[in-house]
């Protein structure tokens, strides 16, 4: 038999099983000061502000470098490359977050791209100009409600139209015209100029294209017009080879829109023409092609044979 005292102790022990420990009534220790941690968004905004300040300073330095009579274009190209790297740290083409893009950043990026496009013309780099203008379209059209119109807008559009003409991309030329405000087509001098040149090309009035060099709305237009005149010269040269056997050098200078005899002679050698300085003439080298005579007798016999076979079939 189990003594009564042991029974009471076992009951108390069993009743204690499964009961939760009493709550700790001691006061909790005070935590130390929290460590300040910047979120990714705040860090990105700080980087964008720093990049904005650096880009503004770099842009002002670039303007000063290009304002001199004979600027160092290689140095300017290096500065442009650094500025484009800084633009990637801001809302360059892609605004950060869902908020509206910062107008300061948009104006800065647009001006850098515009200067880059003009720099490309001065360095005779057409693919670079095409890339800069393609990026500028975002600021001219998509961000037009956030920033005011650029004073270089129609000048660069006109230069791009001349580029398309110089590259003989007539279909794209007319496509670009459709994107321009129709009220500017016959009023804006930068837009009227390439339109008039395109009309002269369609008419074959090459002398008007040549004379348009004296009335360009901007100095940068001369680069594309010179390229266009090179294309015209080769077309005239091909026609001259078939129309003439020889031409005086003085007439060739006028016909091919050259300024000096040396330019004409260099072009003649490039085309493989014979230049006789004693006679002051250019002789066109024509490939002797013997025209194959049509064998009339054979053709008549074949035609009669076909007619007889058709009669048999019918």
């Amino acid at each position: 038999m189990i003594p009564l005292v042991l029974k009471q102790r076992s009951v108390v022990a069993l009743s204690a099983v499964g009961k939760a420990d009493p709550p700790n009534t001691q006061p909790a220790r005070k935590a130390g000061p929290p460590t300040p941690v910047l979120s990714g968004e705040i860090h990105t905004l700080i980087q964008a502000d720093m990049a904005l300040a650096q880009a503004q300073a770099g842009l002002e330095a670039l303007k000063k470098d290009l304002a001199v009579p004979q600027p160092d274009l290689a140095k300017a190209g290096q500065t442009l490359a650094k500025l484009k790297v800084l633009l990637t740290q801001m809302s360059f083409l892609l605004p950060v977050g869902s908020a509206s893009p910062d107008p300061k950043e948009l104006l800065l990026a647009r001006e850098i791209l515009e200067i880059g496009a003009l720099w490309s013309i001065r360095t005779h780099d057409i693919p670079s100009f095409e890339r800069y203008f393609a990026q500028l379209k975002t600021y001219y059209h998509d961000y037009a409600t956030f920033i005011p119109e650029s004073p270089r807008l129609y000048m660069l559009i006109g230069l791009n139209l001349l580029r398309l003409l110089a590259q003989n991309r007539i279909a794209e030329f007319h496509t670009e015209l459709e994107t321009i405000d129709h009220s500017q087509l016959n009023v804006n001098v930068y837009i009227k100029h390439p339109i008039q040149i395109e009309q002269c090309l369609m008419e074959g009035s090459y002398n008007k294209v040549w004379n348009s060099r004296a009335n360009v709305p901007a100095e940068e237009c001369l680069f594309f017009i010179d390229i266009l005149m090179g294309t015209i010269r080769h077309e005239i040269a091909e026609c001259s080879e078939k129309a003439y056997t020889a031409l005086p050098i003085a007439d060739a200078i006028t016909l091919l829109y050259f300024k000096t005899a040396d330019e004409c002679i260099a072009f003649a050698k490039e085309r493989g023409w014979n230049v006789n300085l004693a006679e002051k003439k250019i002789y066109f080298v024509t490939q002797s092609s013997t025209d194959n005579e049509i064998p009339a007798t054979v053709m008549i016999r074949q035609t009669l044979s076909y007619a007889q076979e058709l009669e048999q079939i019918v």
Side-chain angles (χ1 to χ4, degrees), residues 23-31:
N24 188 5
T25 59
Q26 296 180 358
R29 292 182 181 180
K30 294 183 179 180

Side-chain angles (χ1 to χ4, degrees), residues 56-311:
Q56 288 175 341
L59 178 60
E60 295 300 324
L62 178 62
K63 288 180 180 179
K64 292 180 181 179
D65 293 340
L66 293 175
V68 298
Q70 294 181 350
D72 188 352
L73 297 178
K75 180 182 177 182
Q78 296 174 358
T79 305
L80 278 169
K82 295 178 182 178
L83 289 175
K84 287 189 289 185
V85 173
L86 291 174
L87 289 180
T88 58
Q89 301 176 15
M90 299 181 290
S91 58
F92 180 51
L93 295 178
L94 291 175
V96 178
S98 58
S100 300
D102 187 0
K104 294 181 180 179
E105 295 182 3
L106 296 180
L107 290 172
L108 177 66
R110 187 183 69 182
E111 189 171 6
I112 291 174
L113 294 176
E114 288 176 342
I115 293 177
L118 297 176
W119 169 84
S120 301
I121 295 177
R122 299 177 75 172
T123 56
H124 298 175
D125 190 347
I126 297 180
S128 176
F129 173 81
E130 189 172 357
R131 290 192 298 269
Y132 275 113
F133 188 78
Q135 292 175 326
L136 279 170
K137 285 184 177 181
T138 302
Y139 295 89
Y140 289 157
H141 301 291
D142 299 337
Y143 292 154
T145 57
F146 298 100
I147 52 179
E149 185 179 285
S150 171
R152 302 187 183 97
L153 170 64
Y154 290 105
M155 180 181 69
L156 287 170
I157 291 177
L159 290 172
N160 184 58
L161 292 174
L162 286 176
R163 174 187 67 86
L164 295 174
L165 288 178
Q167 295 176 335
N168 199 23
R169 296 159 66 175
I170 306 301
E172 295 181 37
F173 173 85
H174 289 283
T175 302
E176 287 293 328
L177 284 180
E178 295 297 327
T179 63
I180 302 173
D181 185 5
H182 291 282
S183 62
Q184 299 290 331
L185 295 180
N186 298 321
V187 176
N188 194 287
V189 64
Y190 296 109
I191 308 301
K192 285 173 56 178
H193 186 257
I195 291 177
Q196 292 173 354
I197 289 182
E198 192 265 344
Q199 292 175 351
C200 294
L201 290 175
M202 296 299 103
E203 296 172 359
S205 302
Y206 298 143
N207 59 330
K208 293 182 180 179
V209 179
W210 172 254
N211 294 332
S212 68
R213 298 181 80 262
N215 300 318
V216 292
E219 185 179 356
E220 290 80 5
C221 298
L222 294 175
F223 170 61
F224 294 114
I225 292 179
D226 289 340
I227 296 176
L228 184 60
M229 288 306 303
T231 304
I232 292 174
R233 286 191 184 100
H234 284 285
E235 291 183 359
I236 296 175
E238 291 179 0
C239 297
S240 300
E241 290 173 352
K242 297 178 181 179
Y244 308 104
T245 57
L247 271 179
I249 294 178
D251 295 342
I253 293 173
T254 304
L255 183 65
L256 297 172
Y257 301 100
F258 284 115
K259 295 180 180 179
T260 62
D262 293 336
E263 293 177 351
C264 184
I265 292 173
F267 181 80
K269 292 180 179 179
E270 180 185 347
R271 297 282 305 184
W273 299 340
N274 295 328
V275 180
N276 192 328
L277 295 178
E279 299 179 2
K280 295 183 180 181
K281 282 187 177 183
I282 295 176
Y283 291 90
F284 300 110
V285 179
T286 56
Q287 297 179 354
S288 58
S289 58
T290 56
D291 297 333
N292 296 324
E293 296 182 358
I294 299 176
T297 306
V298 176
M299 294 296 294
I300 292 173
R301 290 178 180 176
Q302 290 180 352
T303 305
L304 293 175
S305 176
Y306 294 151
Q308 291 177 357
E309 292 178 0
L310 286 174
E311 289 180 356

